[in-house]
Amino acid sequence: MKTAVFSTKVYDKDYLEKANAGRHELVFFESTLRPSSVRLAEGFDAVCAFVNDNLSAEVIEGLARLGIKLIVLRCAGFNHVDIEATSKYDIMVLRVPAYSPHAVAEHAVALITTLARKTHKAYNRVRDGNFSLERLIGYDLFGKTVGIIGTGRIGAALANIMMGFGCNIIAFDRYPNKELIGKGVKYMTQDEVFAQADIISLHCPLTPESHHMINRETLNQMKRGVMLINTSRGKLIDTEAAIEFLKDGHLGYLGIDVYEQEEKIFFKDLSEVVIRDDKISRLMNFPNVLITAHQAFLTDTALTQIALTTIENLNNYENETIEQANVVSLEMVR
Ligand code: NAI
């Protein structure tokens, strides 16, 4: 199928071309998909998009006008796709529901261990010839209570890793995972998790219900000095509230791989540009905040799987052998 691949980075092209092995005609665009770039999809059968592409009703309508019948997402999340619109215009949306939950869970662990032991500061200090240990006191993870919000594939992988550290795991999910319960994970209400955890890690999808689940009220429920980790979606956290709670020390540590307004910042080299987003600039200035730019998925294992499933989705659409588990349907957002 002739497919327009948006938001292409060098690694996307490398992994997709390898998985494709010349079967489909893939044309790579560095541009994100947005209202002003829709026209690039003219003459194509399908578009391939990533997390920060704009798949709003306006864009979907534009794609429908160009005769696009298929959108293949190189990601699991689909909160950025207007599924009402794709359904209205009869455009099929296929995603990669699971590639490597371990990649994301292990990145969450990297954020946790770095913040707990201040290795981000130690690294810079030693490079600067400063071998002093002053103000580098960290804390043991052993015996701490880790609260996991959303124990699907990634949350479950994180629970298993943190049990290995000797942490107590408490969790909130409407659908408790029996295997985790068997291993000692305790399910409770979201409020109870917020109140009891020393470290809270978010692993639920972004939905209207979970939008700003971390806000002034829920931050107030948490222990003073709590560590908050978000590798899920930026809009789960009200950034302004988080900044307020970081300033007064209630929020002790914040590790984020996703950010509310990341579409304008992440995946770009802005090192020579004045950053106009005051919230991210403020966050970058806290010593106890660690930010990575949506890289939790970025491992060889995950990229290989994303590319293979994306090409498989194109093959299956062409052969009319759709893998139902990969379909993003209207029922999933209602
Ligand atoms: P999953 O679908 O396997 O698990 C999500 C879990 O969250 C489910 O068990 C569900 O019942 C639960 N859930 C839904 N709403 C909830 C709520 N309001 N409160 C508590 N639990 C809730 O998804 P998976 O694969 O574990 O991914 C989780 C999220 O991680 C994705 O939605 C995506 O936003 C994010 N992600 C981030 C990546 C990154 O590179 N930073 C890469 C891949 C995914």
Side-chain angles (χ1 to χ4, degrees):
M1 292 184 76
K2 193 170 177 195
T3 307
V5 184
F6 285 88
S7 296
T8 310
K9 302 291 175 201
V10 174
Y11 50 82
D12 293 310
K13 190 166 184 280
D14 289 349
Y15 281 83
L16 280 170
E17 279 185 337
K18 191 168 169 210
N20 184 40
R23 171 158 182 181
H24 301 279
E25 188 183 340
L26 305 181
V27 177
F28 296 95
F29 297 106
E30 279 180 36
S31 168
T32 53
L33 179 56
R34 55 184 191 275
S36 60
S37 65
V38 171
R39 60 187 167 74
L40 293 173
E42 188 165 3
F44 288 86
D45 307 306
V47 299
C48 178
F50 195 49
V51 287
N52 286 333
D53 284 310
N54 172 339
L55 288 151
S56 59
E58 181 188 359
V59 169
I60 303 293
E61 193 187 325
L63 292 175
R65 245 186 274 121
L66 296 176
I68 296 294
K69 283 280 167 216
L70 173 67
I71 296 170
V72 282
L73 300 173
R74 308 195 291 284
C75 52
F78 49 85
N79 54 280
H80 57 311
V81 187
D82 191 318
I83 301 298
E84 302 273 350
T86 54
S87 166
K88 177 175 165 192
Y89 293 107
D90 202 20
I91 296 177
M92 174 157 282
V93 182
L94 298 174
R95 63 175 181 143
V96 184
Y99 34 96
S100 172
H102 308 289
V104 183
E106 288 169 15
H107 191 77
V109 176
L111 295 176
I112 293 170
T113 52
T114 304
L115 284 168
R117 300 306 298 268
K118 304 185 200 280
T119 37
H120 55 310
K121 303 188 75 176
Y123 173 79
N124 284 324
R125 255 190 213 190
V126 170
R127 279 172 68 92
D128 201 30
N130 176 357
F131 299 94
S132 147
L133 297 182
E134 295 299 329
R135 298 182 308 282
L136 286 184
I137 298 171
Y139 68 78
D140 286 22
L141 293 174
F142 182 86
K144 293 288 181 297
T145 298
V146 176
I148 301 182
I149 305 296
T151 51
R153 284 170 279 244
I154 298 170
L158 179 70
N160 281 313
I161 300 172
M162 298 316 289
M163 279 188 266
F165 276 92
C167 296
N168 309 310
I169 313 295
I170 58 176
F172 169 66
D173 195 310
R174 227 175 288 138
Y175 305 99
N177 174 325
K178 289 198 185 83
E179 205 180 312
L180 290 181
I181 294 173
K183 290 179 178 174
V185 172
K186 292 191 187 71
Y187 280 87
M188 43 187 80
T189 64
Q190 180 178 287
D191 288 356
E192 286 168 337
V193 173
F194 286 162
Q196 293 180 29
D198 301 301
I199 297 166
I200 296 168
S201 198
L202 308 178
H203 298 286
C204 59
L206 175 65
T207 60
E209 179 205 359
S210 65
H211 181 264
H212 281 190
M213 65 158 43
I214 306 299
N215 52 45
R216 285 178 185 83
E217 196 186 322
T218 50
L219 282 161
N220 245 326
Q221 296 172 347
M222 296 176 195
K223 286 184 179 175
R224 191 170 177 81
V226 66
M227 181 189 291
L228 177 63
I229 302 294
N230 186 9
T231 58
S232 204
R233 283 294 178 264
K235 290 185 176 67
L236 294 178
I237 300 182
D238 174 351
T239 312
E240 248 174 59
I243 290 172
E244 216 174 283
F245 278 69
L246 278 161
K247 275 186 185 167
D248 84 356
H250 192 100
L251 181 53
Y253 306 83
L254 177 67
I256 53 173
D257 185 53
V258 287
Y259 168 64
E260 238 186 321
Q261 306 290 344
E262 70 177 53
E263 300 78 19
K264 295 178 194 144
I265 302 169
F266 284 9
F267 306 126
K268 296 179 183 138
D269 177 1
L270 301 180
S271 52
E272 293 300 317
V273 175
V274 173
I275 294 177
R276 294 196 195 162
D277 183 324
D278 289 346
K279 287 187 217 163
I280 193 108
S281 299
R282 185 67 189 92
L283 286 176
M284 283 154 62
N285 277 315
F286 286 104
N288 48 350
V289 173
L290 184 56
I291 305 171
T292 53
H294 210 135
Q295 72 170 82
F297 74 99
L298 199 68
T299 66
D300 176 62
T301 314
L303 286 172
T304 302
Q305 197 52 52
I306 289 170
L308 286 172
T309 307
T310 301
I311 299 302
E312 202 178 281
N313 281 338
L314 291 174
N315 294 344
N316 290 345
Y317 183 85
E318 207 169 50
N319 300 333
E320 297 180 15
T321 54
I322 302 291
E323 175 64 65
Q324 277 311 314
N326 298 1
V327 177
V328 182
S329 65
L330 206 46
E331 293 69 50
M332 293 161 84
V333 293
R334 277 189 171 157

